[in-house]
Amino acid sequence: MRSADDWLKLLHEVPDPEIPVLNVVEMGIVRTVESNDASVEVKITPTYMGCPAMDAIADDIRAQLSPLASQEGRSLSVELVYAPAWTTDWLSDSAKAKLEAYGIAPPGKTTDKRALNGEAPTVRCPKCKSEATELISLFGSTACKAHYRCNDCAEPFDHFKCI
Amino acid sequence: MNARYEYLLRLGDDALILGQQLGLWTGHGPVLEEDIALTNIGLDQIGQARAWLTMAGRAEEQGRDEDALAFHRTPAEFRNAQLCERPNGHFGDTIVRQFLFDAYAVQLHAALAHSKDADIAAIARKSAKESAYHLRHSSAWMVRLGDGTPESNDKVQASLNVLLPFAGDLFHADAVTDTATSEGWGVNPASLRPAWEATLAETLEAAQLQRPAPAPEQTGGRQGRHTEKLSYLLAEMQVLPRTYPDAKW
């Protein structure tokens, strides 16, 4: 019989559908995994209330776990929870490094309140590492990203919004 | 009267109607970035609407889920503020409508984060992050348009003159909000007004816009009294599920 930790490890193999360089555990979407003799319960939380990937993520988690759960005669449930609210602070340093290598400028710490006060945070270009960048749009290719441009290498890039 | 159901419907319907309208900007934004921004904000609103309407359905205890409430109610059964159903108009109209709403939503979500109901507080805390970001966007555009050219200033001032009286519903207290407040799970909307007025004054000053002279305010949306526009909007939004009630993707 697999333990809760074993199930959690299996979820490290489920990529985020929109940012496949990170898995759903690294993204902070998987909050808890609990298991007993009869069931395996996974709780997931959305990055944004309207994140359209949540259904796909729940399906991917079921596809990954349900064959193994049924082999062990256990039921599987994937439940959506809203509290505590998702924050970019849950992204580990290694996850942020993967984001940058993938071409997405990672978020800073939410204790940096400049963004909320309308001031510009320092965003480093993921390609040439210049800090001479500017915001093009507060909203980018997905709900969790903003759109920036590097003034040194002239490349546009996504920045993971800091929330 | 089921005050909890009514109160949650108001929260859900505001977000749903505004989100639906913002979705209509898909492919019509003045620039690509704004096309994406408005539809992203719409997506957040729809996400919030789903959560509030799901809770409303549970509070009603009639077995209705978010889809039943969104697609199988008539206009008079909707509880959104009339501001949310004002037409998209031109980009400036949409920005003013959004700014007036975002400035309210920021106060609403901050207050509801202290709700005695853990589920309401959870959704409010989550939504608060989104509404703060939305306000940053809409207030920046208020300044950019108001403090832009004489033409953009004229247009956005005209939008403000028309839309401001529709903010009345947002702050209108009644028996439902009295119950919500006394039981500690909701807020008195009138208490949100001073902070909203402060945001308005600060932004209008930066935007070189004048606050219109006080005028009678439009209310009634919370009681199901709506403008003509809502019927057309719902007809389009509801046609598929009403034509094929049990259709599945």
Side-chain angles (χ1 to χ4, degrees):
Chain A
M1 295 284 277
R2 289 178 177 81
S3 68
D5 278 350
D6 295 333
W7 295 106
L8 184 62
K9 278 192 193 115
L10 287 165
L11 291 178
H12 279 92
E13 287 160 38
V14 179
D16 181 281
E18 285 175 342
I19 307 166
V21 69
L22 296 184
N23 65 56
V24 292
V25 180
E26 287 174 306
M27 276 289 288
I29 290 169
V30 173
R31 298 316 305 152
T32 58
V33 179
E34 288 174 13
S35 66
N36 58 38
D37 288 348
S39 66
V40 179
E41 292 173 9
V42 180
K43 291 201 164 95
I44 57 175
T45 199
T47 53
Y48 284 77
M49 292 291 286
C51 178
M54 289 315 289
D55 288 342
I57 289 170
D59 286 348
D60 290 349
I61 289 174
R62 282 190 203 98
Q64 174 79 355
L65 301 189
S66 72
L68 301 167
S70 30
Q71 271 176 18
E72 296 186 359
R74 302 203 234 185
S75 66
L76 170 70
S77 72
V78 181
E79 192 196 337
L80 190 66
V81 295
Y82 292 112
W86 185 85
T87 163
T88 40
D89 289 344
W90 291 344
L91 293 170
S92 64
D93 288 343
S94 72
K96 288 180 182 178
K98 285 187 200 175
L99 276 178
E100 190 172 25
Y102 187 61
I104 299 171
K109 283 280 170 199
T110 54
T111 43
D112 181 353
K113 293 291 180 196
R114 284 179 295 176
L116 282 178
N117 297 329
E119 296 170 48
T122 307
V123 175
R124 186 169 72 164
C125 171
K127 300 200 173 59
C128 76
K129 315 302 178 198
S130 164
E131 291 187 348
T133 61
E134 68 176 322
L135 176 74
I136 295 176
S137 173
L138 286 168
F139 296 87
S141 57
T142 66
C144 53
K145 286 178 268 168
H147 197 192
Y148 273 72
R149 171 171 54 214
C150 177
N151 291 328
D152 278 333
C153 73
E155 282 291 321
F157 62 91
D158 270 337
H159 167 54
F160 215 100
K161 294 192 299 206
C162 178
I163 66 166
Chain B
M1 182 189 60
N2 183 336
R4 194 180 148 82
Y5 166 67
E6 283 287 327
Y7 189 82
L8 290 166
L9 269 191
R10 295 173 183 188
L11 297 175
D13 286 349
D14 278 355
L16 176 64
I17 299 303
L18 203 50
Q20 171 73 9
Q21 299 234 76
L22 289 170
L24 296 173
W25 276 101
T26 310
H28 298 277
V31 289
L32 182 60
E33 287 78 9
E34 282 313 300
D35 200 291
I36 292 169
L38 292 174
T39 46
N40 255 294
I41 296 165
L43 193 61
D44 288 342
Q45 304 278 15
I46 298 284
Q48 294 174 15
R50 292 182 62 178
W52 294 127
L53 291 180
T54 297
M55 284 180 71
R58 286 187 196 133
E60 187 194 22
E61 297 182 331
Q62 300 292 322
R64 291 205 279 185
D65 64 6
E66 50 179 296
D67 284 344
L69 289 171
F71 297 124
H72 297 284
R73 278 182 299 149
T74 61
E77 292 170 301
F78 271 75
R79 297 291 181 259
N80 59 284
Q82 289 186 11
L83 177 70
C84 301
E85 73 205 38
R86 297 316 301 150
N88 280 348
H90 58 63
F91 181 67
D93 291 327
T94 290
I95 289 296
V96 172
R97 183 185 68 198
Q98 195 63 34
F99 166 71
L100 295 175
F101 185 82
D102 290 342
Y104 155 80
V106 163
Q107 302 304 330
L108 173 74
H109 294 146
L112 283 181
H114 303 291
S115 169
K116 279 185 188 164
D117 182 303
D119 291 335
I120 291 177
I123 296 172
R125 287 203 180 103
K126 178 107 194 115
S127 303
K129 297 184 180 204
E130 299 175 358
S131 51
Y133 205 80
H134 298 168
L135 178 61
R136 197 181 148 198
H137 171 262
S138 58
S139 59
W141 269 105
M142 288 293 287
V143 174
R144 201 162 160 186
L145 294 171
D147 193 20
T149 64
E151 184 179 356
S152 71
N153 179 282
D154 283 350
K155 282 194 169 182
V156 81
Q157 180 71 56
S159 309
L160 183 66
N161 296 348
V162 170
L163 289 168
L164 191 60
F166 285 96
D169 271 335
L170 301 176
F171 306 108
H172 187 69
D174 62 7
V176 170
T177 58
D178 287 348
T179 304
T181 311
S182 65
E183 293 181 1
W185 45 263
V187 297
N188 176 1
S191 71
L192 306 174
R193 185 142 199 166
W196 178 83
E197 290 283 359
T199 307
L200 189 65
E202 187 187 334
T203 307
L204 294 190
E205 190 187 350
Q208 308 283 323
L209 293 166
Q210 306 303 316
R211 196 189 200 291
E217 294 198 315
Q218 283 289 121
T219 55
R222 302 306 191 201
Q223 284 72 43
R225 293 196 300 279
H226 293 285
T227 60
E228 183 187 18
K229 167 72 180 172
L230 184 67
S231 300
Y232 289 101
L233 190 151
L234 292 181
E236 186 176 21
M237 187 181 89
Q238 296 178 333
V239 62
L240 193 79
R242 279 182 179 271
T243 312
Y244 304 99
D246 298 315
K248 295 266 180 278
W249 286 106

